[in-house]
Amino acid sequence: MTANLSSLLYLITGVLFILALRGLSSPETSRLGNLFGILGMILAITVTLLSLNIFFDKLIFLFIALLIGGSVGALIAFKIPMTAMPQLVAGFHSLVGLAAVLVAVAAFYSPDSFNIGEFLNIKTASMIEMGLGSSIGAITFSGSIIAFLKLQGLMSGSPVIFKGQHFINALIGLSIIFLIVYLVFQQTLFNFWILITLSFLIGFLLIIPIGGADMPVVISMLNSYSGWAAAGIGFTLENTALIITGALVGSSGAILSYIMCKGMNRSFLSVILGGFGATQDDKDINKNQEKKPVKTANAEDAAFLMKNASSVIIVPGYGMAVAQAQHALREMVDKLKHQDIKVSYAIHPVAGRMPGHMNVLLAEANVPYDEVFELEDINNDFSSSDVVYVIGANDVTNPAAKTDKSSPIFGMPILDVEKSKSVLFVKRSLSPGYAGVDNELFYKDNTLMLFGDAKKMTEEIVKSLE
């Protein structure tokens, strides 16, 4: 395949990826966006394979690797539950980062294979690209591993903070910048591996102090990192498709992180430095629960309130995802709409464990897109609503974000559910949310707690509505 034809086809892949991003910006066009992304990736892989000047007996090993990797990816995609999707995304980010590091290592040890110079005498531009690509890739890998462990519950979601943490992070960060520059002039194995080691370390240190409330921002941020790592290595490989794809992923992830931080009233730099997400002491939480009484109700009570309401707003959260209650919720809403009750869904930007988590779950249950509203579009409607049904959401409905300056979630915009006439809160217990903060909404006079599994409780409400 000629170089001009390859460049043209790579340009087409870039257009397909741009169309994919555009499609994924809305639930209504997300399926088409996914299709464009798949077509773009198939074309990129095909062009790359046809551009390789190697014999078939060597090419067969690439096909075997593609078959193994593709089969593993397909198997995971088919079996993974929606509740584990954030962990899956974090895991895939780590693999992208590790791939960037491994490509950089291969290029450093065998630069003649990449036409970038000789061993320990690599071209200046290529050395800068490799240094940046390997460093960002290592940060992405170790940071994504920590994010995976926190999301999976294998590591506490509470922030890990120690004295002098920010100073150590700053020192390591400056050392990485110095090593990238120094490596251009002193291309030694020691300098190269020290750079990668420090990058692995800073990735670990950047994510451990970030608490659960800010985890969705971390996911989008790591997505951005993985893109920039791929783009950096794309320059080393002189692969146009990898450069375009990496730049698209990196820039879109950075923009999404900025939008989410703005929507949460967070400073992006503060989130990265672990300035938020501290948890309350368990003793304080238990003390609050002992002192403050809560009102409880059952499915029949909830059904009675809803049947006599003119408008109901549904607020889904991670608890709905864990219980897989989206289909039961859709059935309940259909019953209410059949009785001419207006029903809407309110989605907080960071509901769940990753951006768009709730939207995907509701789309899986075929919830009409025009019934789903973002925070800024529906927050004023709570004061005029008769009933709010909070199913598994916690931190995103906590009034402490507006009233308690000592709270780790203070300043984060929340859904103003407490302004509704009645709040039905479905939860297994009074335990705090992922941010580790006791929810003041539990103890409001207009709140009724529906203790139990979200799916089972919703199904019981459906029966009572009948």
Side-chain angles (χ1 to χ4, degrees):
M1 182 177 290
T2 63
N4 289 336
L5 181 57
S6 297
S7 299
L8 176 62
L9 293 175
Y10 278 145
L11 182 61
I12 294 175
T13 65
V15 173
L16 288 171
F17 288 138
I18 292 172
L19 292 174
L21 286 176
R22 181 178 177 82
L24 292 171
S25 63
S26 170
E28 296 179 86
T29 57
S30 59
R31 291 183 184 274
L32 183 60
N34 271 322
L35 179 60
F36 281 132
I38 292 170
L39 292 175
M41 187 55 67
I42 291 174
L43 181 59
I45 293 174
T46 302
V47 175
T48 301
L49 291 176
L50 294 177
S51 301
L52 296 174
N53 296 318
I54 56 178
F55 297 104
F56 180 77
D57 60 333
K58 300 288 183 63
L59 197 62
I60 192 68
F61 291 106
L62 288 177
F63 282 114
I64 292 174
L66 286 173
L67 181 61
I68 294 173
S71 300
V72 171
L75 181 63
I76 292 174
F78 276 117
K79 298 189 69 173
I80 197 78
M82 286 304 302
T83 50
M85 192 59 68
Q87 296 93 300
L88 178 65
V89 172
F92 282 169
H93 287 165
S94 71
L95 295 178
V96 174
L98 183 61
V101 174
L102 293 177
V103 170
V105 170
F108 189 82
Y109 277 88
S110 184
D112 52 315
S113 301
F114 297 84
N115 297 317
I116 57 174
E118 300 175 353
F119 182 57
L120 301 182
N121 188 27
I122 299 171
K123 297 176 183 178
T124 300
S126 298
M127 195 65 249
I128 295 174
E129 295 158 5
M130 286 169 53
L132 289 171
S134 60
S135 179
I136 297 173
I139 293 172
T140 304
F141 174 74
S142 56
S144 297
I145 291 297
I146 298 301
F148 172 84
L149 293 175
K150 286 195 172 192
L151 290 167
Q152 188 65 19
L154 299 175
M155 178 179 178
S156 172
S158 302
V160 179
I161 301 173
F162 54 87
K163 190 175 181 179
Q165 189 171 39
H166 295 329
F167 173 77
I168 293 174
N169 288 351
L171 183 62
I172 296 175
L174 290 173
S175 299
I176 289 173
I177 295 173
F178 171 78
L179 279 171
I180 292 175
V181 176
Y182 188 65
L183 195 59
V184 174
F185 303 99
Q186 294 292 328
Q187 297 181 18
T188 65
L189 292 175
F190 178 78
N191 291 341
F192 181 69
W193 284 107
I194 285 293
L195 170 64
I196 292 179
T197 301
L198 288 179
S199 298
F200 278 131
L201 180 61
I202 193 68
F204 171 78
L205 293 174
L206 283 175
I207 305 302
I208 58 171
I210 298 178
D214 296 314
M215 193 53 66
V217 181
V218 173
I219 295 296
S220 60
M221 176 194 71
L222 291 171
N223 179 57
S224 178
Y225 284 0
S226 67
W228 295 125
I233 296 302
F235 281 103
T236 301
L237 298 176
E238 296 182 351
N239 188 296
T240 307
L242 195 55
I243 295 171
I244 294 174
T245 306
L248 285 172
V249 173
S251 56
S252 61
I255 293 170
L256 176 61
S257 300
Y258 172 76
I259 291 174
M260 293 183 66
C261 282
K262 187 176 180 180
M264 295 168 62
N265 195 27
R266 293 287 200 243
S267 162
F268 183 67
L269 182 61
S270 295
V271 172
I272 301 304
L273 294 177
F276 298 98
T279 60
Q280 285 183 300
D281 186 75
D282 290 339
K283 294 180 181 179
D284 293 336
I285 293 171
N286 293 332
K287 190 185 298 182
N288 287 338
Q289 293 175 3
E290 291 172 4
K291 285 186 176 181
K292 300 178 182 178
V294 296
K295 298 178 181 179
T296 60
N298 55 33
E300 289 78 13
D301 299 326
F304 177 80
L305 282 173
M306 290 185 182
K307 281 192 291 188
N308 289 278
S310 59
S311 64
V312 175
I313 298 178
I314 311 293
V315 179
Y318 188 66
M320 183 192 76
V322 172
Q324 288 290 285
Q326 62 270 27
H327 296 285
L329 184 64
R330 167 68 193 275
E331 187 179 357
M332 184 189 81
V333 170
D334 287 342
K335 297 286 185 185
L336 294 173
K337 288 162 63 177
H338 186 69
Q339 299 182 34
D340 296 325
I341 298 171
K342 180 185 176 183
V343 183
S344 305
Y345 297 83
I347 307 295
H348 193 280
V350 295
R353 293 292 185 269
M354 64 180 290
H357 197 184
M358 294 301 105
N359 301 76
V360 173
L361 287 172
L362 295 179
E364 183 186 358
N366 295 315
V367 171
Y369 300 126
D370 58 357
E371 295 178 5
V372 181
F373 298 91
E374 300 296 330
L375 179 144
E376 62 272 12
D377 298 322
I378 200 171
N379 230 12
N380 292 330
D381 296 343
F382 285 106
S383 58
S384 59
S385 66
D386 295 312
V387 176
V388 172
Y389 187 69
V390 183
I391 178 168
N394 198 329
D395 299 322
V396 298
T397 63
N398 194 342
K402 297 185 295 183
T403 60
D404 186 2
K405 292 185 178 181
S406 64
S407 174
I409 63 171
F410 180 75
M412 183 180 80
I414 62 165
L415 294 164
D416 295 328
V417 298
E418 78 275 9
K419 294 181 179 179
S420 174
K421 293 178 183 177
S422 298
V423 178
L424 300 173
F425 208 119
V426 183
K427 205 171 183 298
R428 289 181 178 275
S429 67
L430 291 175
S431 60
Y434 196 60
V437 182
D438 191 26
N439 194 341
E440 294 179 0
L441 184 62
F442 298 161
Y443 317 106
K444 296 285 184 180
D445 291 335
N446 61 333
T447 299
L448 292 174
M449 299 299 298
L450 304 173
F451 292 116
D453 177 79
K455 182 179 180 181
K456 185 177 179 181
M457 179 62 69
T458 305
E459 289 174 341
E460 290 177 359
I461 293 175
V462 171
K463 292 179 182 178
S464 299
L465 287 172
E466 294 173 348

